[in-house]
Amino acid sequence: MTAGESWGYPQAVGSGGGSVVRRILLGSQLRRLREAHGITREAAGYSIRASESKISRMELGRVSFKARDVEDLLTLYGVTDDAERGSLLSLAREANVAGWWHSYSDVLPGWFQTYVGLEAAASLIGVYEVQFVHGLLQTEAYAHAVVAHGMKGASPAEIDRRVALRMERQKLLVSERAPRLHVVLDEAALRRPYGGSEVMRGQLDHLVEVSERPDVRLQVVPFSQGGHAGESGSFTMLSFPESDLSDIVYLEQLTSALYVDKPEEVGQYRRVMRQLQEEAPDPAGTRDLLHGLRQLL
């Protein structure tokens, strides 16, 4: 059983796409080759006139790749087969292709660029949110209210750019290779009236509408549930069609983010996601809850 199937979905089919994913795949290949030959990161770094930390960042897919560096590392690791070298060098070239989000680099922190790239390449996205409606499901008016509240002092132009970025991300859900999206919201996220009653009514209507899509599963954990499995806070879990790429859990912080990929840690988040799915009302029950909340506005 795959990770995607364990969440209650069949594994999505489609091409992986995304320079971020290609960097991670290439980095993991280089790490395996280095370890197979018993070569230290320090020695690998010396061979390409770089530091041990540079090798570490390359193997984690956190930096772009120079063809010369990859060629030198492959030689060091004993990769002499032309076909194998060509395949990895091709992957390096593809890994350096800029994604659409790079045009928003003026308002997009580096640590979040990585997430946007992973989100764009995922076949299954699982989300638990406490504070807000998730960005992929926000209306433009709600997104504007959230961004303006969180960035007091920002210029109207900067706020508009950030909202435009969020709207651009949402095109993923109607693309040819749209991922499966499963969002579990805490009722608290729907009780905070960002933008006022009119904006919130529009947001709730949008959630009802989007929850009818075949690739979207939306559930809300009501206050009446009491305690539940999501006590550790919000998180996003990403699964990919590439068999070589493990699930990644994204944890956003105030000025940075954590990307968790250790199997035992990811497994704990997967168990929490399953529990949340089991504890929350099903999508039909959630739509009833959304209609009830709307009547209160």
Side-chain angles (χ1 to χ4, degrees):
M1 178 179 287
T2 66
E5 288 170 337
S6 70
W7 293 8
Y9 289 117
Q11 191 72 359
V13 177
S15 59
S19 57
V20 173
V21 166
R22 290 187 174 97
R23 287 205 305 268
I24 293 173
L25 290 172
L26 179 57
S28 66
Q29 294 274 15
L30 292 175
R31 186 191 70 247
R32 283 196 287 268
L33 288 168
R34 178 182 59 77
E35 292 175 346
H37 286 77
I39 297 171
T40 66
R41 288 194 181 95
E42 183 179 9
Y46 181 80
S47 74
I48 62 168
R49 303 151 298 282
S51 64
E52 177 182 354
S53 62
K54 171 69 177 294
I55 295 297
S56 178
R57 292 194 299 273
M58 289 175 68
E59 292 181 351
L60 291 170
R62 304 270 171 85
V63 294
S64 58
F65 292 88
K66 294 180 180 179
R68 176 184 172 186
D69 289 343
V70 175
E71 288 177 344
D72 289 347
L73 288 173
L74 292 178
T75 298
L76 178 66
Y77 301 157
V79 179
T80 57
D81 180 75
D82 288 341
E84 186 176 1
R85 288 177 69 92
S87 175
L88 291 171
L89 287 168
S90 176
L91 191 59
R93 287 191 296 272
E94 294 169 358
N96 291 330
V97 175
W100 63 262
W101 53 91
H102 287 275
S103 64
Y104 289 90
S105 59
D106 55 322
V107 294
L108 190 61
W111 50 267
F112 193 62
Q113 288 186 32
T114 299
Y115 172 76
V116 175
L118 291 172
E119 180 183 76
S123 57
L124 173 61
I125 303 173
V127 176
Y128 171 61
E129 281 285 359
V130 180
Q131 181 75 12
F132 315 103
V133 173
H134 189 262
L136 290 177
L137 299 181
Q138 292 179 5
T139 65
E140 187 170 357
Y142 179 92
H144 193 280
V146 169
V147 172
H149 182 272
M151 299 200 61
K152 289 182 170 60
S155 68
E158 182 177 357
I159 292 172
D160 288 346
R161 285 282 288 165
R162 290 179 180 272
V163 173
L165 167 64
R166 199 160 297 182
M167 297 300 102
E168 191 70 26
R169 283 172 52 204
Q170 293 183 9
K171 292 180 179 179
L172 174 68
L173 300 182
V174 292
S175 67
E176 289 185 1
R177 55 173 307 274
R180 299 269 184 171
L181 176 65
H182 188 169
V183 177
V184 180
L185 299 175
D186 192 285
E187 184 177 338
L190 303 176
R191 289 283 188 171
R192 295 186 177 87
Y194 285 101
S197 296
E198 183 176 353
V199 170
M200 287 305 300
R201 282 194 292 270
Q203 179 62 69
L204 291 170
D205 288 344
H206 180 65
L207 289 176
V208 170
E209 179 183 346
V210 78
S211 73
E212 300 278 5
R213 296 180 185 174
D215 290 332
V216 175
R217 181 179 176 87
L218 175 64
Q219 294 176 266
V220 174
V221 182
F223 286 152
S224 59
Q225 178 73 31
H228 56 74
E231 58 187 14
S232 61
S234 302
F235 64 91
T236 299
M237 181 178 290
L238 304 161
S239 290
F240 307 91
E242 293 85 359
S243 59
D244 289 342
L245 192 59
S246 61
D247 289 356
I248 294 175
V249 173
Y250 170 76
L251 303 172
E252 189 167 315
Q253 301 175 328
L254 184 61
T255 59
S256 62
L258 292 176
Y259 294 87
V260 179
D261 61 359
K262 292 183 179 178
E264 62 275 15
E265 295 181 15
V266 171
Q268 293 184 50
Y269 283 96
R270 189 177 296 115
R271 285 191 290 275
V272 169
M273 179 60 75
R274 285 201 211 101
Q275 286 181 261
L276 286 167
Q277 292 176 354
E278 293 169 359
E279 293 171 353
D282 64 15
T286 287
R287 282 189 283 274
D288 290 340
L289 192 156
L290 292 171
H291 285 304
L293 290 174
R294 192 188 189 288
Q295 291 175 3
L296 299 176
L297 295 172

